[in-house]
Amino acid sequence: MIYNECTTQAPRFYCDAMLGGTARWLRLLGFDTRFHPSIDDKVLAQHANLEQRILLTRDKRLPDEQRPDRVYLVLGNKVDEQMRELVTRFHLNLTATPFSRCSCCNQRLRPCSPEEMKLKLPADMASPPQAGFICPACGRCYWMGSHVARIRQRMAGFSDAFAMES
């Protein structure tokens, strides 16, 4: 069964092993996206069903063999193509909250003080950020540095809606 529901709530995803880069970009857009590349397809489908997530896959056999409750077969070959496809298909521009999740472990980020940032970042950093965000699970720090403009530019390639946020 191919996922065919349209909703204004932010969808939650589970990406198969072929979609690691896409999982990272979904997280950068703020979507709750699980990705564990070493999980067997059967277990992957079970987890997606149990957590009521949309299973994203490039494996044409997976939907028929594992029969997940919600599945979407991603057609794009490259990450940017896949992201444009998903943004369009699931209207992700309506529910995106960019830079609100850890791109590595999927946890929601929390604000952190300049003092906390100094403790987490290398002491020899040329110009440490004054404030930013931290992942409560893995401890990664995020801040609005020059790299954010490049990320936003790439996001704009997924949808015109993201270009306005630059």
Side-chain angles (χ1 to χ4, degrees):
M1 164 172 143
I2 302 300
Y3 186 78
N4 197 22
E5 181 179 318
C6 183
T7 178
T8 56
Q9 288 187 345
R12 298 176 338 127
F13 299 106
Y14 216 124
C15 290
D16 74 2
M18 298 180 197
L19 296 171
T22 299
R24 180 175 175 268
W25 280 97
L26 286 167
R27 290 172 178 171
L28 282 169
L29 285 175
F31 293 98
D32 184 350
T33 305
R34 299 240 192 251
F35 175 70
H36 301 287
S38 59
I39 290 181
D40 173 80
D41 284 351
K42 182 177 182 177
V43 175
L44 178 70
Q46 290 171 343
H47 282 249
N49 288 348
L50 183 65
E51 297 175 27
Q52 298 181 342
R53 293 177 180 273
I54 301 164
L55 177 55
L56 301 176
T57 185
R58 297 241 326 120
D59 183 347
K60 293 176 183 171
R61 296 181 316 201
L62 190 146
D64 290 330
E65 291 176 359
Q66 302 306 326
R67 300 201 181 280
D69 294 341
R70 295 166 202 86
V71 62
Y72 180 77
L73 184 63
V74 178
L75 302 175
N77 290 317
K78 298 186 180 199
V79 173
D80 285 27
E81 293 171 8
Q82 294 166 356
M83 288 303 299
R84 280 191 296 276
E85 177 182 345
L86 295 172
V87 166
T88 301
R89 176 65 184 86
F90 294 104
H91 309 284
L92 299 183
N93 56 317
L94 301 176
T95 54
T97 54
F99 308 111
S100 61
R101 287 191 173 273
C102 179
S103 62
C104 297
C105 74
N106 194 41
Q107 291 296 311
R108 285 198 178 275
L109 300 177
R110 68 167 177 77
C112 66
S113 67
E115 295 79 25
E116 193 174 8
M117 289 291 284
K118 284 181 187 175
L119 291 174
K120 292 285 185 179
L121 297 173
D124 62 347
M125 192 169 183
S127 58
Q130 290 302 306
F133 300 89
I134 192 166
C135 176
C138 72
R140 289 193 194 288
C141 290
Y142 295 85
W143 62 94
M144 296 299 177
S146 60
H147 60 288
V148 173
R150 291 187 300 276
I151 293 170
R152 286 192 184 278
Q153 183 176 13
R154 190 160 173 196
M155 285 178 179
F158 307 154
S159 168
D160 291 341
F162 300 125
M164 296 187 309
E165 296 181 22
S166 296

